[in-house]
Amino acid sequence: MNIEPKLSVLLNRQITVKAPLEHPALDDKKAYRRALKYWQNELLHVQQAYYHQGRRALIIFEGWDAAGKGGAIRRITERLDPRGYQVFPISAPKDEEQGRHYLYRFYNKLPKAGTLTIFDRSYYGRVLVERVEAFATQSEWQRAYQEINEFERLLHDDDVKVVKLFLHISAQEQLKRFEERLNNPYKRWKLTEEDIRNRNRRDDYEQAIDDMFARTDTQQAPWHLILGEHKWYTRVEVLKTLVKTLSDGVDTTPPPVDPNVVRLAKEHLGIKHKRKD
């Protein structure tokens, strides 16, 4: 089944969230589960390669409220070794972070050698919510595009792979999910006053998002626009994108067995290593 999305990514790498949401859905639950398991296992292999090679990656999630960021992150981490990743949900700055440069609180959350770090929202809030809601002045959020690009260039030069994902849903699908959250006692906590206020300024957010794409879609850290209208499709597409992006330029084959371990296993445990061609 061909499930590639028709993304509005032009030859000059311009991206917009105003394009129609036309893409196929994964309607077959068995097909979804097979695809999910396959790409989760592939991502586990990538994680193991990063651990053995001491590599680092920063995975950034942005997107509309109720676009499925939490569900996608949950499927990413389901089969990973919990020792090899961290997830940071980013909310408003704490008191001790107020008055400091907005990038300050992200420096101490960067991945250490052999690990992956996931930001559920990120420093891009400076050019999104802080811009739209006037939490930052015009000069501050306009200056942030260059600051963010330089920050990501610094990470790239320090061999940190930066993967940026934006989950996009239509206004109609968002309203449907808000209604579901409001009427489901176990999801009610997900719908906030802020979500409702943000929706009422969707046009302003669309402009801010498109400006973000235009100004921060760089060669070292490009944006990946994931269409989120169908949750099963979105989760698989997120996993697939991560596997392909994180494994680019990385040898994901398992490292050779340690001969000392082979020797000690034979001498002390009486077990032999079975060679595989």
Side-chain angles (χ1 to χ4, degrees), residues 37-234:
K37 182 178 180 180
Y38 173 81
W39 289 108
Q40 284 178 329
N41 285 335
E42 290 296 299
L43 186 59
L44 174 60
H45 297 159
V46 172
Q47 183 199 27
Q48 292 169 339
Y50 270 64
Y51 169 76
H52 289 297
Q53 298 171 31
R55 294 178 177 268
R56 295 171 289 160
L58 174 62
I59 301 166
I60 292 173
F61 274 89
E62 291 289 349
W64 296 104
D65 296 326
K69 296 182 293 297
I73 291 171
R74 189 159 65 250
R75 271 70 185 184
I76 288 170
T77 59
E78 270 181 346
R79 292 179 181 268
L80 295 183
D81 187 323
R83 297 168 294 180
Y85 72 84
Q86 282 188 290
V87 179
F88 293 101
I90 305 300
S91 55
K94 299 176 182 178
D95 290 342
E96 63 269 22
E97 296 167 337
Q98 295 284 359
R100 299 175 184 265
H101 193 279
Y102 67 95
L103 289 175
Y104 164 80
R105 63 190 180 122
F106 298 97
Y107 275 95
N108 62 354
K109 297 179 177 65
L110 294 176
K112 61 183 180 181
T115 67
L116 314 174
T117 290
I118 301 172
F119 285 166
D120 183 355
R121 297 200 184 278
S122 68
Y123 42 82
Y124 279 98
R126 187 65 154 191
V127 296
L128 295 176
V129 64
E130 292 185 34
R131 164 185 169 170
V132 174
E133 304 297 337
F135 297 146
T137 66
Q138 184 172 355
S139 62
E140 286 174 336
W141 63 257
Q142 286 183 337
R143 187 176 70 237
Y145 297 119
Q146 181 179 352
E147 293 171 339
I148 288 171
N149 288 340
E150 291 175 352
F151 179 55
E152 291 176 348
R153 167 63 71 180
L154 177 152
L155 296 177
H156 175 268
D157 291 346
D158 199 37
D159 293 326
V160 178
K161 184 159 288 190
V162 180
V163 185
K164 303 186 300 195
L165 305 166
F166 188 93
L167 272 56
H168 178 41
I169 56 174
S170 66
Q172 294 80 7
E173 179 63 21
Q174 185 187 56
L175 182 61
K176 176 182 174 182
R177 295 183 186 182
F178 279 2
E179 184 177 10
E180 179 189 6
R181 290 180 175 186
L182 181 63
N183 291 290
N184 185 332
Y186 297 102
K187 292 186 177 182
R188 218 168 270 163
W189 63 274
K190 292 185 176 183
L191 183 62
T192 67
E193 294 180 16
E194 183 180 353
D195 295 335
I196 298 171
R197 287 197 301 269
N198 290 347
R199 178 179 170 81
N200 290 333
R201 303 196 66 178
R202 187 177 175 99
D203 289 345
D204 295 331
Y205 275 99
E206 279 189 352
Q207 186 60 58
I209 292 164
D210 283 345
D211 289 347
M212 177 188 74
F213 287 154
R215 301 287 297 275
T216 64
D217 182 56
T218 61
Q219 184 176 0
Q220 70 268 12
W223 277 101
H224 301 271
L225 180 60
I226 307 293
L227 302 182
E229 210 80 347
H230 303 282
K231 292 182 180 180
W232 290 354
Y233 170 86
T234 303

